[in-house]
Amino acid sequence: DVKKAFANAATAAGLSDVTMHTLVHTCCTWLMQAGVPISEAAGFVNKTEQIFSRTYSHHHPSFMRRAVDALARRHS
């Protein structure tokens, strides 16, 4: 059982607050920070694009880039 094995490994490592969800969340965040397209990242972790985007898109380097650029052009 993967969940039981993970829990045992976390306990043995002294990581009582680490769960499999923690690892998935970290993976999603790193994928976004690396600029991976949302569709690809969502598929990699088996989530819908809508849920993935709503939860993790703010970590993507292009998050709100067009809005920031538009304001910068307006005020330059």
Side-chain angles (χ1 to χ4, degrees):
D1 178 27
V2 173
K3 289 182 181 182
K4 185 175 180 181
F6 181 84
N8 289 339
T11 299
L15 303 172
S16 60
D17 293 340
V18 176
T19 65
M20 289 182 73
H21 174 76
T22 305
L23 297 182
V24 172
H25 180 74
T26 301
C27 176
C28 294
T29 300
W30 288 351
L31 290 170
M32 287 294 88
Q33 289 174 336
V36 174
I38 288 174
S39 59
E40 189 176 331
F44 185 76
V45 295
N46 197 31
K47 295 189 179 294
T48 66
E49 287 183 41
Q50 181 182 17
I51 289 175
F52 191 96
S53 178
R54 186 174 57 227
T55 308
Y56 299 104
S57 64
H58 66 280
H59 293 292
H60 199 280
S62 66
F63 180 69
M64 295 197 181
R65 175 55 39 208
R66 287 185 288 185
V68 170
D69 291 347
L71 289 175
R73 283 191 304 274
R74 182 158 168 78
H75 296 287
S76 60

Coordinates of all heavy atoms in Angstrom, one line a residue:
D1 N 0.8 -1.2 0.0 CA 0.0 0.0 0.0 C 0.9 1.2 0.0 O 1.7 1.4 0.9 CB -0.9 0.0 1.2 CG -1.8 1.2 1.3 OD1 -2.1 1.8 0.3 OD2 -2.2 1.5 2.5
V2 N 0.8 2.1 -1.0 CA 1.6 3.2 -1.2 C 1.4 4.2 0.0 O 2.4 4.8 0.5 CB 1.3 3.9 -2.5 CG1 2.1 5.2 -2.6 CG2 1.7 3.0 -3.7
K3 N 0.2 4.5 0.4 CA -0.1 5.5 1.4 C 0.5 5.0 2.8 O 1.1 5.8 3.5 CB -1.6 5.7 1.6 CG -2.2 6.4 0.5 CD -3.7 6.7 0.7 CE -4.2 7.4 -0.5 NZ -5.7 7.7 -0.3
K4 N 0.4 3.7 3.1 CA 1.0 3.2 4.3 C 2.5 3.3 4.3 O 3.2 3.7 5.2 CB 0.5 1.8 4.5 CG 1.0 1.2 5.9 CD 0.4 -0.2 6.1 CE 0.9 -0.7 7.5 NZ 0.3 -2.0 7.7
A5 N 3.1 2.9 3.1 CA 4.6 3.0 3.0 C 5.1 4.4 3.1 O 6.1 4.7 3.8 CB 5.0 2.4 1.6
F6 N 4.3 5.4 2.5 CA 4.7 6.8 2.6 C 4.6 7.2 4.0 O 5.6 7.9 4.5 CB 3.9 7.7 1.7 CG 4.3 9.1 1.8 CD1 5.3 9.6 1.0 CD2 3.7 10.0 2.6 CE1 5.7 10.9 1.0 CE2 4.1 11.3 2.7 CZ 5.1 11.7 1.9
A7 N 3.6 6.9 4.7 CA 3.4 7.3 6.1 C 4.5 6.8 7.0 O 5.1 7.5 7.8 CB 2.0 6.9 6.6
N8 N 4.9 5.5 6.7 CA 5.9 4.9 7.5 C 7.3 5.6 7.2 O 8.1 5.8 8.1 CB 6.0 3.4 7.2 CG 4.9 2.6 7.8 OD1 4.2 3.0 8.7 ND2 4.7 1.4 7.2
A9 N 7.5 5.9 6.0 CA 8.8 6.6 5.6 C 8.9 8.0 6.2 O 9.9 8.4 6.7 CB 8.9 6.6 4.1
A10 N 7.7 8.7 6.2 CA 7.7 10.0 6.7 C 7.9 10.0 8.2 O 8.7 10.8 8.8 CB 6.4 10.7 6.4
T11 N 7.3 9.0 8.9 CA 7.5 8.9 10.3 C 8.9 8.5 10.7 O 9.5 9.1 11.6 CB 6.5 7.8 10.9 OG1 5.2 8.2 10.6 CG2 6.7 7.6 12.4
A12 N 9.5 7.6 9.9 CA 10.9 7.2 10.2 C 11.9 8.4 9.9 O 12.9 8.5 10.6 CB 11.3 6.1 9.2
A13 N 11.5 9.3 9.1 CA 12.3 10.5 8.8 C 12.1 11.6 9.7 O 12.7 12.7 9.7 CB 12.1 10.9 7.3
G14 N 11.1 11.4 10.6 CA 10.7 12.5 11.6 C 9.9 13.6 11.0 O 9.9 14.7 11.5
L15 N 9.2 13.3 9.9 CA 8.4 14.3 9.2 C 6.9 14.0 9.4 O 6.2 13.6 8.5 CB 8.8 14.3 7.7 CG 10.2 14.5 7.3 CD1 10.5 14.2 5.8 CD2 10.7 15.9 7.7
S16 N 6.5 14.3 10.6 CA 5.1 14.0 11.0 C 4.1 14.8 10.2 O 2.9 14.4 10.1 CB 4.9 14.2 12.5 OG 5.2 15.5 12.8
D17 N 4.4 16.0 9.7 CA 3.5 16.9 9.0 C 3.5 16.7 7.5 O 2.7 17.4 6.8 CB 3.7 18.3 9.3 CG 3.5 18.7 10.8 OD1 2.7 17.9 11.4 OD2 4.0 19.7 11.3
V18 N 4.3 15.8 7.0 CA 4.4 15.6 5.5 C 3.4 14.5 5.1 O 3.4 13.5 5.7 CB 5.8 15.3 5.1 CG1 5.9 15.0 3.6 CG2 6.8 16.4 5.5
T19 N 2.6 14.9 4.1 CA 1.7 13.9 3.6 C 1.9 13.8 2.1 O 2.7 14.6 1.5 CB 0.2 14.3 3.8 OG1 0.0 15.5 3.0 CG2 -0.1 14.5 5.2
M20 N 1.3 12.8 1.4 CA 1.4 12.7 0.0 C 0.9 14.0 -0.7 O 1.4 14.4 -1.7 CB 0.7 11.5 -0.5 CG 1.4 10.2 -0.2 SD 0.7 8.7 -0.8 CE 1.1 8.8 -2.5
H21 N -0.2 14.6 -0.1 CA -0.7 15.8 -0.6 C 0.4 16.9 -0.6 O 0.4 17.8 -1.6 CB -1.9 16.3 0.1 CG -2.4 17.6 -0.3 ND1 -3.1 17.8 -1.4 CD2 -2.3 18.9 0.3 CE1 -3.4 19.1 -1.6 NE2 -2.9 19.8 -0.5
T22 N 1.2 17.0 0.4 CA 2.3 17.9 0.5 C 3.2 17.8 -0.7 O 3.6 18.8 -1.3 CB 3.1 17.8 1.8 OG1 2.2 17.8 2.9 CG2 4.2 18.8 1.9
L23 N 3.5 16.6 -1.1 CA 4.4 16.4 -2.2 C 3.8 16.8 -3.5 O 4.4 17.3 -4.4 CB 4.9 14.9 -2.3 CG 5.7 14.4 -1.1 CD1 6.1 12.9 -1.3 CD2 6.9 15.3 -0.9
V24 N 2.5 16.4 -3.7 CA 1.8 16.8 -4.9 C 1.7 18.4 -5.0 O 1.9 18.9 -6.1 CB 0.3 16.2 -4.9 CG1 -0.5 16.8 -6.1 CG2 0.4 14.7 -5.0
H25 N 1.4 19.0 -3.9 CA 1.3 20.5 -3.9 C 2.7 21.1 -4.3 O 2.8 22.0 -5.1 CB 0.9 21.0 -2.5 CG 0.8 22.5 -2.4 ND1 -0.2 23.2 -3.0 CD2 1.6 23.4 -1.8 CE1 0.0 24.5 -2.7 NE2 1.1 24.6 -2.0
T26 N 3.7 20.6 -3.7 CA 5.1 21.0 -4.0 C 5.4 20.8 -5.5 O 5.9 21.7 -6.2 CB 6.1 20.3 -3.1 OG1 5.8 20.6 -1.8 CG2 7.5 20.8 -3.5
C27 N 5.1 19.7 -6.0 CA 5.3 19.3 -7.4 C 4.6 20.3 -8.3 O 5.1 20.9 -9.3 CB 4.8 17.9 -7.7 SG 5.0 17.4 -9.4
C28 N 3.3 20.6 -8.0 CA 2.5 21.5 -8.8 C 3.1 22.9 -8.8 O 3.2 23.6 -9.8 CB 1.1 21.6 -8.3 SG 0.2 20.0 -8.5
T29 N 3.5 23.4 -7.7 CA 4.1 24.7 -7.5 C 5.4 24.8 -8.3 O 5.6 25.7 -9.1 CB 4.4 25.0 -6.0 OG1 3.2 24.9 -5.3 CG2 5.1 26.3 -5.9
W30 N 6.2 23.7 -8.2 CA 7.5 23.7 -9.0 C 7.3 23.7 -10.5 O 8.0 24.3 -11.3 CB 8.4 22.6 -8.6 CG 9.0 22.7 -7.2 CD1 9.0 23.8 -6.4 CD2 9.7 21.7 -6.5 NE1 9.6 23.5 -5.2 CE2 10.1 22.2 -5.3 CE3 10.0 20.4 -6.8 CZ2 10.8 21.5 -4.3 CZ3 10.7 19.6 -5.8 CH2 11.1 20.2 -4.6
L31 N 6.2 22.9 -11.0 CA 5.9 22.9 -12.4 C 5.5 24.3 -12.9 O 6.0 24.7 -13.9 CB 4.8 21.9 -12.7 CG 5.1 20.4 -12.5 CD1 3.9 19.6 -12.6 CD2 6.1 20.0 -13.6
M32 N 4.7 25.0 -12.1 CA 4.3 26.4 -12.5 C 5.5 27.3 -12.4 O 5.7 28.1 -13.4 CB 3.2 26.9 -11.6 CG 1.9 26.3 -11.8 SD 1.2 26.6 -13.4 CE 1.8 25.3 -14.4
Q33 N 6.4 27.2 -11.4 CA 7.5 28.1 -11.3 C 8.5 27.9 -12.5 O 9.2 28.8 -12.9 CB 8.2 27.9 -10.0 CG 7.5 28.5 -8.8 CD 8.1 28.1 -7.5 OE1 8.8 27.2 -7.4 NE2 7.8 28.9 -6.5
A34 N 8.5 26.7 -13.1 CA 9.3 26.3 -14.2 C 8.7 26.8 -15.5 O 9.4 26.6 -16.6 CB 9.6 24.8 -14.2
G35 N 7.5 27.3 -15.5 CA 6.9 27.7 -16.7 C 6.2 26.7 -17.6 O 6.0 26.9 -18.7
V36 N 6.0 25.5 -17.0 CA 5.3 24.4 -17.7 C 3.9 24.9 -18.0 O 3.2 25.4 -17.2 CB 5.3 23.1 -16.9 CG1 4.5 22.0 -17.5 CG2 6.8 22.7 -16.6
P37 N 3.4 24.6 -19.3 CA 2.1 25.0 -19.6 C 1.1 24.3 -18.7 O 1.2 23.1 -18.3 CB 1.9 24.5 -21.0 CG 3.3 24.4 -21.6 CD 4.1 24.1 -20.4
I38 N 0.0 25.0 -18.3 CA -1.0 24.5 -17.3 C -1.6 23.2 -17.8 O -1.7 22.3 -17.0 CB -2.1 25.6 -17.1 CG1 -1.5 26.7 -16.2 CG2 -3.3 24.9 -16.4 CD1 -2.4 27.8 -16.0
S39 N -1.9 23.1 -19.1 CA -2.5 21.8 -19.6 C -1.5 20.6 -19.4 O -2.0 19.5 -19.0 CB -2.8 22.0 -21.1 OG -1.7 22.3 -21.8
E40 N -0.3 20.8 -19.6 CA 0.7 19.7 -19.4 C 0.9 19.4 -17.9 O 0.9 18.2 -17.5 CB 2.0 20.1 -20.0 CG 3.0 19.0 -20.1 CD 4.3 19.5 -20.8 OE1 4.2 20.4 -21.7 OE2 5.4 18.9 -20.5
A41 N 1.0 20.4 -17.1 CA 1.2 20.2 -15.7 C 0.0 19.6 -15.0 O 0.1 18.6 -14.2 CB 1.5 21.6 -15.0
A42 N -1.2 20.0 -15.4 CA -2.4 19.4 -14.9 C -2.5 17.9 -15.2 O -2.9 17.1 -14.4 CB -3.6 20.2 -15.4
G43 N -2.2 17.6 -16.5 CA -2.2 16.2 -16.9 C -1.2 15.4 -16.1 O -1.4 14.2 -15.8
F44 N 0.0 16.0 -15.9 CA 1.0 15.2 -15.2 C 0.6 14.8 -13.8 O 1.0 13.7 -13.3 CB 2.3 16.1 -15.1 CG 3.5 15.4 -14.5 CD1 4.2 14.5 -15.2 CD2 3.9 15.7 -13.2 CE1 5.3 13.9 -14.7 CE2 5.0 15.1 -12.7 CZ 5.7 14.2 -13.4
V45 N -0.1 15.7 -13.1 CA -0.6 15.3 -11.7 C -2.0 14.9 -11.7 O -2.6 14.8 -10.6 CB -0.3 16.5 -10.8 CG1 1.1 16.8 -10.6 CG2 -1.1 17.7 -11.2
N46 N -2.6 14.6 -12.8 CA -4.0 14.1 -12.9 C -5.0 15.0 -12.3 O -5.8 14.5 -11.5 CB -4.0 12.6 -12.4 CG -5.3 11.9 -12.8 OD1 -5.8 12.1 -13.9 ND2 -5.7 11.0 -11.9
K47 N -5.0 16.3 -12.6 CA -6.0 17.2 -12.2 C -6.6 17.9 -13.4 O -6.0 17.9 -14.5 CB -5.3 18.3 -11.3 CG -4.8 17.8 -10.0 CD -4.4 18.9 -9.1 CE -3.8 18.4 -7.8 NZ -4.7 17.7 -6.9
T48 N -7.8 18.4 -13.2 CA -8.4 19.1 -14.4 C -7.6 20.5 -14.5 O -7.1 21.0 -13.6 CB -9.9 19.4 -14.1 OG1 -10.0 20.3 -13.0 CG2 -10.7 18.2 -13.9
E49 N -7.6 21.0 -15.7 CA -7.0 22.2 -16.0 C -7.6 23.4 -15.2 O -6.9 24.3 -14.7 CB -7.0 22.6 -17.5 CG -6.1 21.8 -18.3 CD -6.1 22.2 -19.8 OE1 -6.1 23.4 -20.0 OE2 -6.0 21.3 -20.6
Q50 N -8.9 23.3 -15.0 CA -9.6 24.4 -14.3 C -9.2 24.4 -12.8 O -8.9 25.5 -12.3 CB -11.1 24.1 -14.4 CG -11.9 25.2 -13.7 CD -13.4 24.9 -13.7 OE1 -13.9 23.8 -14.0 NE2 -14.2 25.9 -13.4
I51 N -9.2 23.3 -12.2 CA -8.8 23.2 -10.8 C -7.3 23.5 -10.6 O -6.9 24.3 -9.7 CB -9.1 21.8 -10.2 CG1 -10.6 21.7 -10.0 CG2 -8.4 21.6 -8.8 CD1 -11.1 20.4 -9.5
F52 N -6.5 23.0 -11.5 CA -5.1 23.3 -11.5 C -4.8 24.8 -11.6 O -4.1 25.4 -10.8 CB -4.3 22.5 -12.5 CG -2.8 22.5 -12.4 CD1 -2.2 21.5 -11.7 CD2 -2.1 23.6 -12.8 CE1 -0.8 21.5 -11.5 CE2 -0.7 23.6 -12.7 CZ -0.1 22.6 -12.0
S53 N -5.4 25.4 -12.6 CA -5.2 26.8 -12.9 C -5.7 27.6 -11.7 O -5.0 28.6 -11.3 CB -6.0 27.2 -14.1 OG -5.8 28.6 -14.4
R54 N -6.8 27.3 -11.2 CA -7.3 28.1 -10.0 C -6.4 28.0 -8.8 O -6.3 29.0 -8.1 CB -8.8 27.6 -9.7 CG -9.5 28.5 -8.6 CD -10.9 28.1 -8.4 NE -11.0 26.7 -8.1 CZ -11.9 25.8 -8.6 NH1 -12.7 26.2 -9.5 NH2 -12.0 24.6 -8.2
T55 N -5.8 26.9 -8.6 CA -5.0 26.7 -7.4 C -3.6 27.1 -7.6 O -3.0 27.6 -6.6 CB -5.1 25.2 -7.0 OG1 -6.4 24.8 -7.0 CG2 -4.4 24.9 -5.7
Y56 N -3.0 26.9 -8.8 CA -1.5 27.0 -8.9 C -1.1 28.1 -9.9 O 0.1 28.4 -10.0 CB -0.9 25.7 -9.3 CG -1.1 24.6 -8.2 CD1 -2.1 23.6 -8.4 CD2 -0.4 24.7 -7.0 CE1 -2.3 22.7 -7.4 CE2 -0.6 23.7 -6.1 CZ -1.6 22.7 -6.3 OH -1.8 21.8 -5.3
S57 N -1.9 28.7 -10.7 CA -1.5 29.5 -11.8 C -0.7 30.8 -11.3 O 0.1 31.3 -12.0 CB -2.7 30.0 -12.7 OG -3.6 30.8 -12.0
H58 N -1.0 31.2 -10.1 CA -0.3 32.4 -9.6 C 1.2 32.2 -9.4 O 2.0 33.1 -9.2 CB -0.9 32.9 -8.3 CG -0.8 31.9 -7.1 ND1 -1.7 30.8 -7.0 CD2 0.0 31.9 -6.1 CE1 -1.3 30.2 -5.9 NE2 -0.3 30.8 -5.3
H59 N 1.6 30.9 -9.5 CA 3.1 30.6 -9.3 C 3.8 30.7 -10.7 O 5.0 30.6 -10.8 CB 3.3 29.2 -8.7 CG 2.9 29.1 -7.3 ND1 3.5 29.8 -6.3 CD2 1.8 28.4 -6.7 CE1 2.9 29.5 -5.1 NE2 1.9 28.7 -5.4
H60 N 3.0 30.8 -11.8 CA 3.6 30.7 -13.1 C 4.3 32.1 -13.4 O 3.7 33.1 -13.1 CB 2.5 30.5 -14.2 CG 3.0 30.0 -15.5 ND1 3.5 30.8 -16.4 CD2 3.1 28.7 -16.0 CE1 3.9 30.2 -17.5 NE2 3.7 28.9 -17.2
P61 N 5.4 32.1 -14.1 CA 6.1 33.3 -14.3 C 5.3 34.3 -15.2 O 5.6 35.5 -15.1 CB 7.4 32.9 -15.0 CG 7.4 31.5 -15.2 CD 6.2 30.9 -14.5
S62 N 4.4 33.8 -16.0 CA 3.6 34.7 -16.8 C 2.3 35.2 -16.2 O 1.5 35.9 -16.8 CB 3.3 34.1 -18.2 OG 2.5 33.0 -18.0
F63 N 2.1 34.8 -14.9 CA 0.9 35.2 -14.2 C 0.7 36.7 -14.2 O 1.6 37.5 -13.8 CB 0.9 34.7 -12.8 CG -0.3 35.0 -12.0 CD1 -1.5 34.4 -12.3 CD2 -0.3 35.8 -10.9 CE1 -2.7 34.6 -11.6 CE2 -1.4 36.1 -10.2 CZ -2.6 35.5 -10.5
M64 N -0.4 37.2 -14.8 CA -0.7 38.6 -14.9 C 0.3 39.4 -15.7 O 0.3 40.6 -15.5 CB -1.1 39.2 -13.5 CG -2.3 38.5 -12.9 SD -2.9 39.6 -11.6 CE -4.2 38.6 -11.0
R65 N 1.2 38.8 -16.4 CA 2.2 39.5 -17.2 C 1.6 40.5 -18.1 O 2.0 41.7 -18.2 CB 3.1 38.5 -17.9 CG 4.1 39.1 -18.8 CD 5.1 40.2 -18.2 NE 5.5 39.9 -16.9 CZ 5.9 40.8 -16.0 NH1 5.9 42.1 -16.3 NH2 6.3 40.5 -14.8
R66 N 0.5 40.1 -18.9 CA -0.1 41.1 -19.8 C -0.7 42.3 -19.1 O -0.6 43.4 -19.6 CB -1.1 40.4 -20.7 CG -0.5 39.4 -21.7 CD -1.5 38.8 -22.6 NE -2.2 37.8 -21.9 CZ -3.2 37.0 -22.4 NH1 -3.5 37.1 -23.7 NH2 -3.8 36.1 -21.6
A67 N -1.3 42.1 -18.0 CA -1.9 43.2 -17.2 C -0.8 44.1 -16.7 O -0.9 45.3 -16.8 CB -2.7 42.6 -16.0
V68 N 0.3 43.6 -16.2 CA 1.4 44.4 -15.8 C 2.0 45.2 -16.9 O 2.2 46.4 -16.8 CB 2.5 43.6 -15.1 CG1 3.7 44.4 -14.8 CG2 1.9 42.9 -13.8
D69 N 2.2 44.5 -18.0 CA 2.8 45.2 -19.2 C 1.9 46.3 -19.7 O 2.3 47.4 -20.1 CB 3.1 44.2 -20.3 CG 4.2 43.2 -20.0 OD1 5.0 43.5 -19.0 OD2 4.3 42.2 -20.7
A70 N 0.5 46.0 -19.7 CA -0.4 47.1 -20.2 C -0.3 48.3 -19.3 O -0.4 49.4 -19.8 CB -1.8 46.5 -20.2
L71 N -0.3 48.1 -18.0 CA -0.2 49.3 -17.1 C 1.2 50.0 -17.3 O 1.2 51.2 -17.3 CB -0.4 48.9 -15.7 CG -1.8 48.5 -15.3 CD1 -1.9 47.9 -13.9 CD2 -2.8 49.6 -15.5
A72 N 2.2 49.2 -17.5 CA 3.5 49.9 -17.7 C 3.6 50.7 -18.9 O 4.1 51.8 -18.9 CB 4.6 48.8 -17.7
R73 N 3.0 50.2 -20.0 CA 2.9 51.0 -21.3 C 2.1 52.2 -21.1 O 2.4 53.3 -21.6 CB 2.3 50.1 -22.4 CG 3.3 49.1 -23.0 CD 2.7 48.5 -24.2 NE 1.4 47.9 -24.1 CZ 1.2 46.6 -23.6 NH1 2.2 45.8 -23.3 NH2 -0.1 46.2 -23.5
R74 N 1.0 52.2 -20.4 CA 0.1 53.3 -20.2 C 0.8 54.4 -19.4 O 0.5 55.6 -19.6 CB -1.2 52.8 -19.4 CG -2.2 53.9 -19.2 CD -3.5 53.3 -19.0 NE -4.5 54.3 -18.6 CZ -5.1 55.2 -19.3 NH1 -4.9 55.2 -20.6 NH2 -6.0 56.0 -18.8
H75 N 1.7 54.0 -18.5 CA 2.3 55.0 -17.6 C 3.7 55.3 -18.0 O 4.5 55.9 -17.1 CB 2.2 54.6 -16.2 CG 0.8 54.5 -15.7 ND1 0.0 55.6 -15.4 CD2 -0.1 53.5 -15.5 CE1 -1.2 55.3 -15.1 NE2 -1.3 53.9 -15.1
S76 N 4.1 55.0 -19.2 CA 5.5 55.3 -19.5 C 5.6 56.4 -20.5 O 4.7 56.9 -21.0 CB 6.2 54.0 -20.1 OG 5.6 53.6 -21.3

